[in-house]
């Protein structure tokens, strides 16, 4: 019996040692450093030698990414293979790949995540290359600064800009006796217009809509009202939430009143993101804060303006994605070739602007395609007045399901509770970690 | 073979627990090697599929392991402290337990009811059995997506009603819970009916006949014969149902993502969120996983012990 026990113990120990060795090997394989490879030896134009590059992007930018990749592949020897990842899975996929050293050559990231991902060393340092661009000052500053680390090293260029704008359905405006050519100039006018459209009492038609269970939708569409009112949403270092200031309180109060009046699409209450624009696109919502990238997908005559503040002004959330060369890429020179082309007139005007998208370079804002649609000129103009919040823990504080930001908004707007200060402190607690 | 080894007296004289000192014969050694060879594919499978992930999650739970940066070294016991200190830890446990109780009661009750309904030979027996069982053939993720559309205020069949009445299925904490419970009951009731049916059919007919001769009513028969003799089936179904509900994830991930207001946050959804949707911290997520694993082991042991004791009584 003793012998059998000893043998059993020996077997168990052997199994554990084997497993431990396997784990050690796995852990060694999965270990990642936080260093990035400074790509100083890359030529200014990169290298176009027929290499195959891999590129990941998230699903909301699929249309623009496909257009860009197709245009690049048609004119270059290098070929880019695009992988589109569902929005909700993107962070997990990038994280898993980063851990195992399997990131693609190029990958785009929601601009609000970029500071954290740069900090974690997921992108290569492109300071030398970006500083060498003679049009650097024309590139969208919000995206560039999001990709700049504490030491001033630059890692990211804008991939696709997505701005939040005030969109209104001109047909419903006319029916409600509102001027279809005039945008509400203040948040109060916005609320009045929504209530007037609600008063039409048309079946299935609502004044306005939003995503009250979607943190990303809410930062994208509500922060601009605070900026337009002359206030800030975050401290300069991104470690303190200022979302209890007077302008923010006015924003919550206005939406609370709208919700109570029944002028907000009821499903906004549990809208977690996937269909937050559907009501407006279907023509059932009078006006809402809406992504500019959907301009070409709106099937009726829609007016476009900047998002108004409490007493006027206009602003926008300069969102979208930044793109950089991953830490795991061994084709930095080829990847840089794609990035320089992405910043060129050929890509910005002949691909993006031609398809009703916003350009990332200010010197191309007034282009021939924008001139054909005054709404694009408006979007380009408001872009320069917009902002992009920068914080390391942005996802956890704002975008994650059940984030403290969502708690703040749901308490203030749906419940009407007086908890903004305490909820704002909960956001700060996470931002300061 | 000597004659001594065959005599009963000699065998009786040997102490039963005497250590074996005899060296292995070459044949015994060959048999042992062959045995190892037969067992090795399964052993390797067990090592790679069960043991490696288990040890990996233990290592992860003891390490500072951000999703985007990989393993940064040991971090004990901080991961476990952070896991228990998470602002949603106790809420998610409470919700998971509530959900488990609700689904277990409903599924076991409905499963037994359906089994009793289709047990007797009727014209519609096959049709009913098939109808109740068909949802079980659908993957849980597919079923959740189906219900997501069903509950959708845009694409669902009730969209117009929802707009007219101003309600949403998933917009309130109660609505989100009961909408998900309805999906689970629809998906699993047929499966539990099948398990109950097997249990019912294992009860010998002559026991019922004896009860009938003794003049027992239907209720008395059910209470005194069916329920006690179904105890092993109840044990199996309750263990399955409790374990499945405590590990609920897909249905909530697809339908509610733990919302609204974190009201449907199950413990596994919390683990997922901590790992991939916010904190991006695999170390704390793994610590939560280990806590859940230990809790499950304890709960299952308690359940099985309770049923064994009831059987002995």
């Amino acid at each position: 019996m003793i012998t059998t026990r000893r043998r059993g113990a020996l077997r168990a120990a052997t199994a554990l040692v084997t497993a431990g060795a396997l784990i050690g090997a796995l852990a060694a394989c999965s270990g990642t450093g936080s260093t990035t490879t400074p790509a100083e030896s890359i030529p200014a134009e990169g290298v176009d030698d027929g290499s195959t590059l891999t590129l990941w992007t998230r699903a909301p930018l699929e249309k623009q990414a496909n257009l860009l990749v197709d245009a690049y592949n048609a004119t270059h020897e290098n070929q880019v293979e695009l992988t589109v990842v569902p929005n909700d899975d993107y962070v997990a996929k990038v994280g898993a790949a980063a851990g195992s050293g399997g990131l693609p050559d190029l990958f785009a990231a929601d601009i609000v995540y970029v500071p954290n991902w740069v900090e974690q060393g997921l992108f290569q340092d492109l300071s030398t290359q970006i500083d060498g661009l003679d049009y650097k000052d024309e590139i969208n500053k919000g995206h560039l600064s999001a990709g700049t680390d504490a030491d001033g090293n630059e890692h990211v260029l804008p991939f696709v800009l997505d701005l939040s704008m005030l969109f209104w359905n001109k047909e419903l405006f006319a029916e409600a006796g509102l001027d279809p050519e005039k945008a509400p100039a203040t948040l109060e006018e916005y609320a009045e217009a929504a209530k007037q459209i609600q008063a039409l009492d048309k079946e299935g038609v609502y004044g306005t809509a939003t995503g009250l269970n979607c943190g990303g939708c809410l930062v994208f569409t509500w922060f601009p009202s605070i900026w337009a009112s002359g206030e800030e949403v975050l401290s300069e270092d991104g470690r303190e939430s200022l979302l209890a200031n007077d302008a923010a309180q006015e924003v919550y109060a206005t939406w609370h009143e709208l919700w109570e009046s029944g002028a907000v699409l009821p499903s906004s209450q549990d809208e977690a993101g996937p269909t937050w624009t559907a009501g407006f696109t279907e023509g059932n919502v009078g006006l809402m804060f809406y992504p500019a990238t959907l301009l070409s997908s709106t099937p009726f005559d829609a007016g476009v303006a900047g998002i108004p503040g409490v007493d006027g002004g206009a602003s926008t959330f300069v969102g979208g994605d930044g793109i950089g060369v991953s830490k795991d890429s061994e084709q930095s020179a080829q990847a840089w070739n794609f990035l320089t082309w992405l910043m060129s007139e050929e890509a910005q005007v002949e691909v993006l602007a031609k398809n009703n998208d916003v350009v990332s370079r200010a010197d191309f804002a007034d282009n021939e395609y924008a001139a054909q649609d005054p709404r694009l000129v408006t979007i380009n103009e408001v872009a320069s007045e917009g902002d992009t919040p920068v914080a390391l823990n942005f996802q956890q504080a704002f975008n994650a399901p059940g984030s403290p930001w969502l708690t703040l908004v749901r308490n203030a707007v749906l419940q009407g509770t007086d908890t903004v200060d305490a909820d704002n402190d909960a956001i700060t607690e996470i931002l300061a970690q | 073979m000597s004659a001594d080894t065959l005599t009963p007296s000699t065998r009786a004289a040997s102490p039963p627990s005497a250590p074996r000192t005899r060296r292995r014969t070459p044949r015994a050694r060959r048999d042992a090697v062959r045995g190892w060879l037969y067992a090795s594919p399964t052993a390797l499978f067990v090592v790679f599929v069960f043991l490696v992930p288990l040890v990996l999650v233990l290592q992860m739970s003891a390490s500072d392991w951000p999703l985007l940066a990989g393993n940064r070294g040991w971090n004990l016991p901080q991961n476990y402290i952070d896991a228990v200190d998470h602002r949603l830890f106790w809420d998610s446990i409470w919700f998971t337990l509530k959900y488990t109780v609700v689904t277990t009661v409903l599924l076991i009750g409905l499963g037994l009811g359906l089994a009793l309904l289709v047990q007797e030979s009727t014209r519609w027996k096959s049709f009913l059995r098939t109808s109740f069982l068909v949802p079980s053939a659908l993957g849980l993720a597919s079923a959740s997506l189906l219900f997501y559309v069903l509950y959708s205020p845009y694409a669902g069949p009730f969209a117009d009603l929802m707009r007219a009445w101003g309600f949403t299925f998933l917009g309130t904490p109660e609505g989100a819970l009961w909408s998900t419970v309805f999906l689970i009951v629809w998906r699993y009731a047929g499966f539990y009916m099948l398990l109950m049916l097997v249990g019912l059919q294992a009860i010998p007919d002559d026991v019922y006949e004896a009860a009938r001769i003794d003049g027992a009513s239907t209720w008395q028969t059910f209470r005194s014969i069916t329920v006690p003799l179904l105890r092993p089936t109840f044990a199996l179904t309750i263990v399955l149902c409790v374990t499945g509900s405590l590990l609920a994830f897909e249905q909530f991930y697809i339908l509610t993502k733990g919302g609204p207001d974190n009201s449907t946050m199950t413990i596994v959804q919390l683990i997922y969120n901590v790992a991939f949707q916010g904190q991006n911290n695999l170390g704390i997520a793994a610590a939560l996983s280990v806590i859940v694993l230990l809790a499950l082991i304890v709960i299952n042991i308690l359940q099985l012990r309770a049923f064994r004791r009831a059987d002995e009584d």
Side-chain angles (χ1 to χ4, degrees), chain B residues 126-188:
Chain B
S126 302
F127 174 75
L128 288 176
R129 283 184 185 182
T130 311
S131 306
F132 296 147
L133 196 59
V134 159
S136 304
L138 203 62
L140 183 54
S142 310
S144 302
L145 282 169
L146 185 74
F147 274 69
Y148 187 76
V149 175
L150 196 69
Y151 296 148
S152 165
Y154 294 105
F158 310 121
D160 292 339
L161 274 181
M162 289 165 72
R163 282 199 194 112
W165 294 346
F167 81 97
T168 61
F169 282 101
L170 305 171
T172 59
E174 295 75 26
L177 168 64
W178 290 105
S179 299
T180 312
V181 167
F182 182 72
L183 152 72
I184 290 301
V185 168
W186 176 84
R187 167 68 176 71
Y188 284 104

Side-chain angles (χ1 to χ4, degrees), chain A residues 32 88 265 395-396 400 402 410, chain B residues 69 87 154 261-262 277 279:
Chain A
T32 54
D88 289 346
L265 181 71
Q395 187 200 10
Q396 197 184 339
R410 294 182 68 87
Chain B
R87 66 192 171 98
Y154 294 105
D261 301 328
N262 296 314
Q277 296 281 325
Q279 277 178 275

Side-chain angles (χ1 to χ4, degrees), chain B residues 174-217:
Chain B
E174 295 75 26
L177 168 64
W178 290 105
S179 299
T180 312
V181 167
F182 182 72
L183 152 72
I184 290 301
V185 168
W186 176 84
R187 167 68 176 71
Y188 284 104
F191 174 70
Y192 284 95
M193 172 202 76
L194 198 66
L195 293 180
M196 291 292 183
L197 203 55
V198 172
L200 284 172
Q201 288 178 345
I203 301 173
D205 282 343
D206 45 3
V207 182
Y208 285 111
E209 251 172 57
R212 216 172 293 136
I213 290 165
D214 288 344
S217 66

Side-chain angles (χ1 to χ4, degrees), chain A residues 64 161-165 167 220 290-297 304 316 356-358 376 379:
Chain A
Q64 292 86 350
L161 293 193
D162 192 8
L163 280 69
S164 48
M165 303 294 291
F167 274 57
F220 187 59
Y290 191 79
T293 40
L294 295 183
L295 177 65
S296 54
S297 317
V304 175
T316 180
N356 285 345
D357 279 307
V358 186
L376 276 170
I379 294 170

Side-chain angles (χ1 to χ4, degrees), chain B residues 35-70:
Chain B
W36 274 104
L37 282 175
Y38 282 133
S40 57
T42 309
L44 281 175
F45 183 82
V46 168
V47 166
F48 278 101
V49 177
F50 298 111
L51 201 58
V52 169
L54 187 64
V55 178
L56 184 58
V57 88
L58 287 172
Q59 185 210 5
M60 210 175 244
S61 75
S63 307
D64 178 15
W65 199 314
L67 173 72
L68 297 168

Side-chain angles (χ1 to χ4, degrees), chain B:
Chain B
M1 214 178 280
S2 73
D4 283 349
T5 55
L6 293 174
T7 54
S9 57
T10 314
R11 267 195 278 168
S14 311
S17 59
R20 286 182 294 164
T21 52
R22 188 164 52 92
R23 289 177 66 87
R24 276 185 173 188
T25 63
R27 186 179 169 180
R29 222 175 289 137
R30 269 202 309 278
D31 284 348
V33 170
R34 198 177 297 142
W36 274 104
L37 282 175
Y38 282 133
S40 57
T42 309
L44 281 175
F45 183 82
V46 168
V47 166
F48 278 101
V49 177
F50 298 111
L51 201 58
V52 169
L54 187 64
V55 178
L56 184 58
V57 88
L58 287 172
Q59 185 210 5
M60 210 175 244
S61 75
S63 307
D64 178 15
W65 199 314
L67 173 72
L68 297 168
N71 188 357
R72 287 177 170 170
W74 299 110
N75 191 35
L76 267 180
Q78 197 55 43
N79 281 346
Y80 285 88
I81 294 170
D82 289 345
V84 177
D85 276 352
H86 193 284
R87 66 192 171 98
L88 296 175
F89 179 73
W90 293 108
D91 287 347
S92 65
I93 286 181
W94 170 240
F95 175 75
T96 308
L97 291 175
K98 187 166 85 170
Y99 169 78
T100 300
V101 170
V102 169
T103 48
T104 303
V105 169
L106 283 177
L107 282 176
I108 304 290
L110 204 61
L112 179 60
L114 293 177
L116 291 169
L117 184 72
V118 301
Q119 184 191 21
E120 296 303 322
S121 180
T122 67
R123 278 176 63 191
W124 297 98
K125 185 178 70 177
S126 302
F127 174 75
L128 288 176
R129 283 184 185 182
T130 311
S131 306
F132 296 147
L133 196 59
V134 159
S136 304
L138 203 62
L140 183 54
S142 310
S144 302
L145 282 169
L146 185 74
F147 274 69
Y148 187 76
V149 175
L150 196 69
Y151 296 148
S152 165
Y154 294 105
F158 310 121
D160 292 339
L161 274 181
M162 289 165 72
R163 282 199 194 112
W165 294 346
F167 81 97
T168 61
F169 282 101
L170 305 171
T172 59
E174 295 75 26
L177 168 64
W178 290 105
S179 299
T180 312
V181 167
F182 182 72
L183 152 72
I184 290 301
V185 168
W186 176 84
R187 167 68 176 71
Y188 284 104
F191 174 70
Y192 284 95
M193 172 202 76
L194 198 66
L195 293 180
M196 291 292 183
L197 203 55
V198 172
L200 284 172
Q201 288 178 345
I203 301 173
D205 282 343
D206 45 3
V207 182
Y208 285 111
E209 251 172 57
R212 216 172 293 136
I213 290 165
D214 288 344
S217 66
T218 311
W219 171 245
Q220 281 173 323
T221 311
F222 174 74
R223 206 186 55 190
S224 306
I225 295 176
T226 308
V227 171
L229 291 180
L230 269 183
R231 191 171 285 143
T233 311
F234 280 132
L236 172 70
T237 49
I238 289 174
V239 167
L240 282 178
C241 204
V242 166
T243 309
S245 301
L246 289 175
L247 295 176
F249 176 67
E250 295 102 312
Q251 60 270 39
F252 288 104
Y253 177 75
I254 291 170
L255 288 181
T256 71
K257 286 202 160 42
D261 301 328
N262 296 314
S263 60
T264 58
M265 185 69 69
T266 63
I267 188 73
V268 182
Q269 175 81 50
L270 180 66
I271 291 170
Y272 177 82
N273 285 357
V274 169
F276 301 116
Q277 296 281 325
Q279 277 178 275
N280 297 333
N281 193 317
L282 297 180
I284 299 175
L288 283 166
S289 305
V290 172
I291 292 170
V292 171
L293 175 70
L294 293 175
L296 274 177
I297 291 171
V298 170
I299 289 170
N300 280 338
I301 288 173
L302 290 177
Q303 278 180 305
L304 292 173
R305 267 197 189 165
F307 280 110
R308 199 175 300 146
R309 196 170 302 139
D311 275 348
E312 285 164 6
D313 291 345

Side-chain angles (χ1 to χ4, degrees), chain A residues 246-270:
Chain A
D246 291 345
Q249 300 264 14
E250 281 292 332
V251 172
Y252 312 138
T254 305
W255 278 96
H256 175 61
E257 191 198 328
L258 273 171
W259 178 255
E260 291 286 297
S261 73
V264 183
L265 181 71
S267 60
S268 300
Q269 185 177 2
D270 63 320

Side-chain angles (χ1 to χ4, degrees), chain A residues 44-328:
Chain A
E45 292 292 317
V47 171
D48 185 17
D49 60 358
S51 300
T52 300
L53 297 162
T54 48
L55 164 62
W56 288 359
T57 187
R58 59 195 179 106
L61 301 183
E62 182 175 5
K63 186 196 93 177
Q64 292 86 350
N66 270 319
L67 289 168
L68 287 164
V69 166
D70 288 348
Y72 179 82
N73 287 347
T75 52
H76 290 75
E77 283 186 43
N78 288 343
Q79 294 294 293
V80 174
E81 286 179 356
L82 176 68
T83 301
V84 179
V85 181
N87 199 33
D88 289 346
D89 300 336
Y90 199 59
V91 177
K93 187 171 170 72
V94 167
S100 61
L103 283 171
D105 295 299
L106 293 149
F107 70 104
D110 189 330
I111 200 67
V112 294
Y113 298 166
V114 164
N116 189 294
W117 294 12
V118 165
E119 182 80 9
Q120 302 287 354
L122 267 54
F123 293 107
Q124 290 186 21
D125 180 359
L126 296 173
S127 302
T128 312
Q129 285 67 42
I130 293 175
D131 287 341
L133 297 172
D134 51 15
Y135 49 81
K136 183 189 166 191
D137 291 344
E138 305 292 340
I139 299 172
N140 183 273
K141 289 184 176 46
H143 278 223
L144 276 187
S145 65
T148 304
D149 65 19
D151 299 326
N153 297 319
E154 294 150 328
H155 300 76
V156 161
L157 287 170
F159 184 45
V160 174
L161 293 193
D162 192 8
L163 280 69
S164 48
M165 303 294 291
L166 162 58
F167 274 57
W168 71 93
N169 183 324
K170 290 187 177 178
E171 203 176 301
L172 288 173
F173 259 53
E175 276 183 57
L178 296 158
D179 182 353
E181 300 306 325
K182 191 172 166 239
T186 64
L187 204 55
E188 195 182 337
E189 283 186 32
Y190 178 93
E192 282 309 313
K195 286 179 194 165
Q196 239 170 292
I197 288 162
Q198 192 65 42
L200 286 172
D201 207 20
K202 284 182 79 173
E203 199 186 333
V205 171
Y206 286 86
T208 188
T210 186
L212 290 168
N213 200 22
C214 168
C217 311
L218 290 166
V219 297
F220 187 59
T221 54
W222 289 15
F223 281 9
S225 285
I226 300 168
W227 290 324
S229 309
E231 301 264 16
E232 288 297 328
V233 296
L234 296 176
S235 61
E236 210 164 303
D237 62 2
R239 296 173 68 84
E240 186 190 352
S241 170
L242 307 175
L243 288 161
N245 61 38
D246 291 345
Q249 300 264 14
E250 281 292 332
V251 172
Y252 312 138
T254 305
W255 278 96
H256 175 61
E257 191 198 328
L258 273 171
W259 178 255
E260 291 286 297
S261 73
V264 183
L265 181 71
S267 60
S268 300
Q269 185 177 2
D270 63 320
E271 178 55 66
T275 53
W276 75 286
T277 57
F280 185 81
T281 313
E282 287 169 1
N284 293 327
V285 169
L287 74 170
M288 76 179 286
F289 303 142
Y290 191 79
T293 40
L294 295 183
L295 177 65
S296 54
S297 317
T298 310
F300 51 84
D301 193 7
V304 175
I307 292 177
V310 175
D311 299 315
S315 190
T316 180
F317 188 112
V318 186
D321 284 27
I323 187 169
V325 182
S326 85
K327 68 175 178 64
D328 299 327

